[in-house]
């Protein structure tokens, strides 16, 4: 099970980029942490999320 923002998901291992696409998360204005470590956008295609991992997806919010 992969935990994304506190919710468990039964998903096969996949790249961060594939995970975002699977969850229909837009890739712009998003930051991703995997097991407490920031994943740089340039490595989203190569970093693999596996069973037991914890992912936090953060979106930028505009405001004043």
């Amino acid at each position: 099970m992969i935990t994304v923002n506190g919710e468990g998901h039964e998903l096969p291992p996949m790249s961060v980029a594939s995970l975002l696409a699977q969850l229909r998360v837009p890739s712009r204005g998003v930051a991703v942490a995997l097991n407490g470590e920031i994943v740089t956008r340039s490595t989203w295609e190569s970093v693999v999320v596996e069973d037991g991992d914890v992912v936090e997806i953060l979106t930028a919010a505009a405001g004043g």
Side-chain angles (χ1 to χ4, degrees):
M1 181 172 301
I2 298 170
T3 302
V4 180
N5 291 351
E7 292 185 21
H9 295 268
E10 291 290 340
L11 297 168
M14 64 182 69
S15 69
V16 170
S18 295
L19 177 65
L20 293 176
Q22 176 83 24
L23 298 175
R24 293 185 171 88
V25 175
S27 60
R28 290 188 53 113
V30 170
V32 177
L34 176 61
N35 300 321
E37 299 289 326
I38 296 294
V39 180
T40 58
R41 185 178 304 270
S42 63
T43 63
W44 283 5
E45 292 289 340
S46 60
V47 172
V48 176
V49 181
E50 300 179 302
D51 187 47
D53 284 342
V54 176
V55 179
E56 293 294 326
I57 302 171
L58 307 166
T59 55

